[in-house]
Short mmCIF file of all heavy atoms in Angstrom, two decimals:
data_model
loop_
_atom_site.label_atom_id
_atom_site.label_comp_id
_atom_site.label_asym_id
_atom_site.label_seq_id
_atom_site.Cartn_x
_atom_site.Cartn_y
_atom_site.Cartn_z
N ALA A 479 0.84 -1.21 0.00
CA ALA A 479 0.00 0.00 0.00
C ALA A 479 0.87 1.25 0.00
O ALA A 479 0.77 2.12 0.86
CB ALA A 479 -0.94 0.00 1.20
N GLU A 480 1.76 1.32 -0.99
CA GLU A 480 2.77 2.38 -1.01
C GLU A 480 2.24 3.66 -1.66
O GLU A 480 2.50 3.97 -2.81
CB GLU A 480 4.03 1.87 -1.72
CG GLU A 480 4.75 0.75 -0.97
CD GLU A 480 5.29 1.19 0.39
OE1 GLU A 480 5.26 2.38 0.70
OE2 GLU A 480 5.75 0.32 1.15
N PHE A 481 1.48 4.39 -0.84
CA PHE A 481 0.99 5.71 -1.20
C PHE A 481 1.35 6.67 -0.08
O PHE A 481 1.25 6.32 1.10
CB PHE A 481 -0.53 5.71 -1.39
CG PHE A 481 -0.99 4.85 -2.54
CD1 PHE A 481 -1.34 3.52 -2.34
CD2 PHE A 481 -1.06 5.36 -3.83
CE1 PHE A 481 -1.76 2.72 -3.39
CE2 PHE A 481 -1.48 4.57 -4.89
CZ PHE A 481 -1.83 3.25 -4.67
N GLY A 482 1.77 7.87 -0.42
CA GLY A 482 2.22 8.83 0.58
C GLY A 482 1.12 9.28 1.52
O GLY A 482 0.00 9.56 1.09
N THR A 483 1.43 9.35 2.84
CA THR A 483 0.47 9.83 3.84
C THR A 483 0.11 11.29 3.59
O THR A 483 -1.04 11.69 3.75
CB THR A 483 1.07 9.68 5.25
OG1 THR A 483 1.43 8.32 5.46
CG2 THR A 483 0.08 10.10 6.32
N THR A 484 1.08 12.09 3.20
CA THR A 484 0.86 13.52 3.03
C THR A 484 0.27 13.86 1.67
O THR A 484 -0.66 14.66 1.57
CB THR A 484 2.18 14.29 3.23
OG1 THR A 484 2.67 14.02 4.54
CG2 THR A 484 2.00 15.79 3.06
N THR A 485 0.79 13.24 0.62
CA THR A 485 0.40 13.64 -0.75
C THR A 485 -0.48 12.64 -1.46
O THR A 485 -1.14 12.98 -2.44
CB THR A 485 1.67 13.82 -1.61
OG1 THR A 485 2.34 12.55 -1.69
CG2 THR A 485 2.60 14.86 -1.02
N GLY A 486 -0.50 11.38 -1.00
CA GLY A 486 -1.23 10.33 -1.70
C GLY A 486 -0.51 9.83 -2.94
O GLY A 486 -1.02 8.98 -3.68
N ARG A 487 0.71 10.34 -3.19
CA ARG A 487 1.45 9.94 -4.38
C ARG A 487 1.91 8.48 -4.27
O ARG A 487 2.28 8.00 -3.20
CB ARG A 487 2.68 10.83 -4.57
CG ARG A 487 2.36 12.24 -5.01
CD ARG A 487 3.63 13.04 -5.29
NE ARG A 487 4.42 13.27 -4.09
CZ ARG A 487 5.58 13.92 -4.08
NH1 ARG A 487 6.08 14.39 -5.20
NH2 ARG A 487 6.23 14.10 -2.96
N LYS A 488 1.91 7.81 -5.41
CA LYS A 488 2.41 6.44 -5.47
C LYS A 488 3.93 6.45 -5.25
O LYS A 488 4.65 7.27 -5.81
CB LYS A 488 2.10 5.82 -6.83
CG LYS A 488 2.51 4.36 -6.96
CD LYS A 488 2.27 3.83 -8.38
CE LYS A 488 0.80 3.63 -8.63
NZ LYS A 488 0.58 2.90 -9.93
N ARG A 489 4.40 5.55 -4.39
CA ARG A 489 5.84 5.46 -4.13
C ARG A 489 6.51 4.51 -5.11
O ARG A 489 5.95 3.47 -5.48
CB ARG A 489 6.09 4.97 -2.70
CG ARG A 489 5.56 5.92 -1.64
CD ARG A 489 5.77 5.38 -0.23
NE ARG A 489 5.10 6.23 0.75
CZ ARG A 489 4.40 5.79 1.78
NH1 ARG A 489 4.25 4.49 1.96
NH2 ARG A 489 3.84 6.63 2.61
N ARG A 490 7.71 4.87 -5.52
CA ARG A 490 8.53 3.99 -6.34
C ARG A 490 9.10 2.89 -5.44
O ARG A 490 9.45 3.14 -4.29
CB ARG A 490 9.66 4.80 -6.98
CG ARG A 490 9.15 5.93 -7.86
CD ARG A 490 10.16 7.03 -8.04
NE ARG A 490 11.37 6.60 -8.73
CZ ARG A 490 12.48 7.32 -8.84
NH1 ARG A 490 12.55 8.52 -8.27
NH2 ARG A 490 13.51 6.87 -9.51
N CYS A 491 9.20 1.67 -5.96
CA CYS A 491 9.59 0.53 -5.12
C CYS A 491 10.73 -0.27 -5.72
O CYS A 491 10.85 -0.40 -6.94
CB CYS A 491 8.39 -0.41 -4.91
SG CYS A 491 6.97 0.34 -4.10
N GLY A 492 11.55 -0.84 -4.85
CA GLY A 492 12.66 -1.69 -5.29
C GLY A 492 13.19 -2.54 -4.15
O GLY A 492 12.69 -2.50 -3.02
N TRP A 493 14.22 -3.30 -4.45
CA TRP A 493 14.83 -4.18 -3.45
C TRP A 493 15.58 -3.39 -2.38
O TRP A 493 15.97 -2.24 -2.59
CB TRP A 493 15.80 -5.16 -4.13
CG TRP A 493 15.21 -6.13 -5.09
CD1 TRP A 493 15.47 -6.22 -6.43
CD2 TRP A 493 14.27 -7.17 -4.80
NE1 TRP A 493 14.75 -7.25 -7.00
CE2 TRP A 493 14.00 -7.85 -6.02
CE3 TRP A 493 13.60 -7.59 -3.64
CZ2 TRP A 493 13.12 -8.92 -6.10
CZ3 TRP A 493 12.71 -8.65 -3.72
CH2 TRP A 493 12.48 -9.31 -4.93
N LEU A 494 15.80 -4.03 -1.25
CA LEU A 494 16.58 -3.42 -0.18
C LEU A 494 18.00 -3.13 -0.68
O LEU A 494 18.64 -3.97 -1.31
CB LEU A 494 16.64 -4.38 1.03
CG LEU A 494 17.38 -3.87 2.26
CD1 LEU A 494 16.72 -2.63 2.83
CD2 LEU A 494 17.43 -4.97 3.33
N ASP A 495 18.47 -1.92 -0.37
CA ASP A 495 19.76 -1.44 -0.87
C ASP A 495 20.72 -1.29 0.31
O ASP A 495 20.61 -0.34 1.09
CB ASP A 495 19.56 -0.09 -1.58
CG ASP A 495 20.81 0.40 -2.29
OD1 ASP A 495 21.92 0.08 -1.84
OD2 ASP A 495 20.66 1.14 -3.31
N MET A 496 21.68 -2.20 0.42
CA MET A 496 22.60 -2.17 1.56
C MET A 496 23.74 -1.17 1.36
O MET A 496 24.42 -0.83 2.32
CB MET A 496 23.15 -3.57 1.82
CG MET A 496 22.10 -4.54 2.32
SD MET A 496 21.12 -3.95 3.73
CE MET A 496 22.38 -3.78 4.98
N VAL A 497 23.94 -0.67 0.14
CA VAL A 497 24.90 0.43 -0.06
C VAL A 497 24.34 1.67 0.63
O VAL A 497 25.06 2.38 1.36
CB VAL A 497 25.16 0.70 -1.55
CG1 VAL A 497 26.17 1.83 -1.71
CG2 VAL A 497 25.65 -0.56 -2.26
N VAL A 498 23.06 1.93 0.42
CA VAL A 498 22.38 3.02 1.11
C VAL A 498 22.46 2.83 2.62
O VAL A 498 22.75 3.75 3.38
CB VAL A 498 20.91 3.12 0.65
CG1 VAL A 498 20.09 4.00 1.60
CG2 VAL A 498 20.82 3.67 -0.77
N MET A 499 22.19 1.60 3.06
CA MET A 499 22.13 1.34 4.50
C MET A 499 23.49 1.49 5.18
O MET A 499 23.58 2.02 6.30
CB MET A 499 21.56 -0.06 4.77
CG MET A 499 20.04 -0.13 4.63
SD MET A 499 19.21 1.17 5.57
CE MET A 499 19.96 0.94 7.17
N ARG A 500 24.54 1.05 4.53
CA ARG A 500 25.88 1.20 5.14
C ARG A 500 26.26 2.68 5.22
O ARG A 500 26.84 3.13 6.22
CB ARG A 500 26.92 0.40 4.33
CG ARG A 500 26.83 -1.11 4.55
CD ARG A 500 28.05 -1.83 3.98
NE ARG A 500 28.13 -1.73 2.53
CZ ARG A 500 27.58 -2.61 1.69
NH1 ARG A 500 26.90 -3.64 2.15
NH2 ARG A 500 27.71 -2.46 0.38
N TYR A 501 25.94 3.42 4.18
CA TYR A 501 26.18 4.87 4.17
C TYR A 501 25.38 5.55 5.28
O TYR A 501 25.89 6.41 6.02
CB TYR A 501 25.79 5.39 2.79
CG TYR A 501 25.83 6.88 2.60
CD1 TYR A 501 27.02 7.60 2.66
CD2 TYR A 501 24.65 7.57 2.31
CE1 TYR A 501 27.03 8.98 2.45
CE2 TYR A 501 24.66 8.94 2.10
CZ TYR A 501 25.85 9.64 2.17
OH TYR A 501 25.86 11.00 1.95
N SER A 502 24.14 5.15 5.41
CA SER A 502 23.25 5.69 6.43
C SER A 502 23.79 5.41 7.84
O SER A 502 23.79 6.29 8.71
CB SER A 502 21.86 5.04 6.25
OG SER A 502 20.93 5.51 7.19
N HIS A 503 24.30 4.22 8.04
CA HIS A 503 24.84 3.84 9.35
C HIS A 503 26.13 4.60 9.67
O HIS A 503 26.37 5.00 10.82
CB HIS A 503 25.08 2.33 9.40
CG HIS A 503 25.70 1.84 10.67
ND1 HIS A 503 25.19 2.15 11.91
CD2 HIS A 503 26.80 1.07 10.90
CE1 HIS A 503 25.93 1.59 12.85
NE2 HIS A 503 26.92 0.94 12.27
N VAL A 504 26.95 4.83 8.66
CA VAL A 504 28.19 5.60 8.86
C VAL A 504 27.88 6.98 9.44
O VAL A 504 28.57 7.48 10.32
CB VAL A 504 28.96 5.74 7.52
CG1 VAL A 504 29.98 6.85 7.58
CG2 VAL A 504 29.66 4.43 7.18
N ILE A 505 26.80 7.59 8.95
CA ILE A 505 26.45 8.95 9.36
C ILE A 505 25.71 8.98 10.70
O ILE A 505 25.98 9.83 11.54
CB ILE A 505 25.62 9.63 8.26
CG1 ILE A 505 26.51 9.85 7.02
CG2 ILE A 505 25.02 10.96 8.73
CD1 ILE A 505 25.74 10.18 5.77
N ASN A 506 24.80 8.02 10.91
CA ASN A 506 23.95 8.06 12.11
C ASN A 506 24.37 7.11 13.22
O ASN A 506 23.90 7.27 14.35
CB ASN A 506 22.50 7.77 11.72
CG ASN A 506 21.84 8.92 11.01
OD1 ASN A 506 22.16 10.08 11.23
ND2 ASN A 506 20.90 8.61 10.12
N ASP A 507 25.21 6.12 12.92
CA ASP A 507 25.69 5.16 13.93
C ASP A 507 24.54 4.55 14.72
O ASP A 507 24.38 4.77 15.92
CB ASP A 507 26.69 5.84 14.87
CG ASP A 507 27.44 4.83 15.74
OD1 ASP A 507 27.48 3.64 15.37
OD2 ASP A 507 27.97 5.23 16.80
N TYR A 508 23.73 3.74 14.05
CA TYR A 508 22.55 3.16 14.67
C TYR A 508 22.90 2.18 15.78
O TYR A 508 23.78 1.32 15.62
CB TYR A 508 21.70 2.45 13.61
CG TYR A 508 21.25 3.37 12.51
CD1 TYR A 508 21.67 3.16 11.18
CD2 TYR A 508 20.43 4.46 12.78
CE1 TYR A 508 21.26 4.02 10.18
CE2 TYR A 508 20.03 5.32 11.76
CZ TYR A 508 20.45 5.10 10.47
OH TYR A 508 20.06 5.96 9.47
N SER A 509 22.20 2.32 16.89
CA SER A 509 22.35 1.37 18.00
C SER A 509 21.71 0.03 17.63
O SER A 509 22.22 -1.03 17.97
CB SER A 509 21.69 1.91 19.27
OG SER A 509 22.12 3.23 19.54
N SER A 510 20.57 0.11 16.96
CA SER A 510 19.88 -1.08 16.46
C SER A 510 18.91 -0.64 15.37
O SER A 510 18.73 0.55 15.12
CB SER A 510 19.14 -1.81 17.59
OG SER A 510 18.15 -0.98 18.16
N ILE A 511 18.28 -1.63 14.75
CA ILE A 511 17.43 -1.39 13.58
C ILE A 511 16.01 -1.89 13.84
O ILE A 511 15.80 -2.91 14.49
CB ILE A 511 18.02 -2.12 12.35
CG1 ILE A 511 19.34 -1.50 11.92
CG2 ILE A 511 17.04 -2.16 11.18
CD1 ILE A 511 19.25 -0.08 11.44
N ASN A 512 15.04 -1.14 13.29
CA ASN A 512 13.67 -1.63 13.19
C ASN A 512 13.43 -1.94 11.71
O ASN A 512 13.41 -1.03 10.88
CB ASN A 512 12.70 -0.57 13.69
CG ASN A 512 11.22 -0.90 13.45
OD1 ASN A 512 10.38 -0.01 13.45
ND2 ASN A 512 10.90 -2.16 13.24
N LEU A 513 13.31 -3.22 11.39
CA LEU A 513 13.03 -3.66 10.01
C LEU A 513 11.52 -3.76 9.85
O LEU A 513 10.88 -4.58 10.52
CB LEU A 513 13.70 -5.00 9.74
CG LEU A 513 13.74 -5.47 8.28
CD1 LEU A 513 14.66 -4.58 7.45
CD2 LEU A 513 14.19 -6.91 8.20
N THR A 514 10.94 -2.91 9.01
CA THR A 514 9.48 -2.84 8.89
C THR A 514 8.97 -3.53 7.63
O THR A 514 9.71 -3.78 6.69
CB THR A 514 9.00 -1.38 8.89
OG1 THR A 514 9.49 -0.73 7.70
CG2 THR A 514 9.52 -0.62 10.11
N LYS A 515 7.69 -3.83 7.64
CA LYS A 515 6.96 -4.36 6.47
C LYS A 515 7.58 -5.65 5.92
O LYS A 515 7.54 -5.89 4.71
CB LYS A 515 6.87 -3.29 5.38
CG LYS A 515 5.88 -2.18 5.70
CD LYS A 515 5.57 -1.34 4.47
CE LYS A 515 4.29 -0.57 4.64
NZ LYS A 515 3.92 0.17 3.42
N LEU A 516 8.13 -6.45 6.80
CA LEU A 516 8.69 -7.73 6.34
C LEU A 516 7.61 -8.60 5.71
O LEU A 516 7.88 -9.38 4.79
CB LEU A 516 9.36 -8.45 7.51
CG LEU A 516 10.16 -9.71 7.17
CD1 LEU A 516 11.35 -9.38 6.29
CD2 LEU A 516 10.62 -10.42 8.44
N ASP A 517 6.38 -8.47 6.19
CA ASP A 517 5.27 -9.29 5.69
C ASP A 517 4.95 -9.03 4.22
O ASP A 517 4.35 -9.89 3.56
CB ASP A 517 4.02 -9.06 6.54
CG ASP A 517 3.62 -7.58 6.58
OD1 ASP A 517 4.47 -6.76 6.98
OD2 ASP A 517 2.47 -7.25 6.21
N VAL A 518 5.35 -7.86 3.70
CA VAL A 518 5.08 -7.54 2.28
C VAL A 518 5.85 -8.51 1.37
O VAL A 518 5.44 -8.75 0.22
CB VAL A 518 5.46 -6.07 1.99
CG1 VAL A 518 5.34 -5.74 0.51
CG2 VAL A 518 4.57 -5.13 2.80
N LEU A 519 6.91 -9.11 1.88
CA LEU A 519 7.71 -10.05 1.09
C LEU A 519 7.21 -11.49 1.18
O LEU A 519 7.79 -12.39 0.56
CB LEU A 519 9.18 -10.00 1.56
CG LEU A 519 9.85 -8.61 1.60
CD1 LEU A 519 11.29 -8.75 2.06
CD2 LEU A 519 9.78 -7.93 0.24
N ASP A 520 6.13 -11.72 1.93
CA ASP A 520 5.66 -13.08 2.25
C ASP A 520 5.51 -14.01 1.04
O ASP A 520 5.85 -15.18 1.11
CB ASP A 520 4.31 -13.03 2.98
CG ASP A 520 4.45 -12.75 4.46
OD1 ASP A 520 5.60 -12.67 4.95
OD2 ASP A 520 3.41 -12.60 5.14
N LYS A 521 4.96 -13.51 -0.06
CA LYS A 521 4.59 -14.38 -1.17
C LYS A 521 5.67 -14.54 -2.23
O LYS A 521 5.49 -15.26 -3.21
CB LYS A 521 3.30 -13.88 -1.82
CG LYS A 521 2.09 -13.98 -0.90
CD LYS A 521 0.82 -13.54 -1.59
CE LYS A 521 -0.39 -13.67 -0.67
NZ LYS A 521 -1.64 -13.22 -1.33
N LEU A 522 6.78 -13.85 -2.05
CA LEU A 522 7.82 -13.88 -3.09
C LEU A 522 8.66 -15.16 -3.00
O LEU A 522 9.15 -15.50 -1.92
CB LEU A 522 8.72 -12.65 -2.96
CG LEU A 522 8.04 -11.29 -3.15
CD1 LEU A 522 9.03 -10.16 -2.91
CD2 LEU A 522 7.43 -11.19 -4.55
N PRO A 523 8.86 -15.86 -4.12
CA PRO A 523 9.66 -17.09 -4.10
C PRO A 523 11.14 -16.83 -3.84
O PRO A 523 11.83 -17.67 -3.28
CB PRO A 523 9.43 -17.70 -5.49
CG PRO A 523 8.99 -16.55 -6.35
CD PRO A 523 8.28 -15.60 -5.45
#
């Protein structure tokens, strides 16, 4: 259900990007992660 809360715009979608995530962690130094919407992947082989 990838539509924006504020604008209602359809969101562009793709696979998890760990290059983005490593860069993100370098800057913010996460203590831990909340991985959300794992259930959206339920039916994928």
Side-chain angles (χ1 to χ4, degrees):
E480 294 296 352
F481 296 92
T483 303
T484 301
T485 62
R487 289 185 294 179
K488 183 184 287 189
R489 297 177 187 137
R490 300 157 64 190
C491 299
W493 296 117
L494 183 62
D495 188 331
M496 292 309 297
V497 181
V498 165
M499 282 310 308
R500 286 192 294 270
Y501 174 65
S502 180
H503 177 52
V504 162
I505 293 165
N506 287 330
D507 192 20
Y508 301 117
S509 309
S510 62
I511 292 296
N512 172 200
L513 191 68
T514 66
K515 287 194 161 184
L516 188 64
D517 56 304
V518 174
L519 307 181
D520 279 356
K521 294 183 179 179
L522 298 177

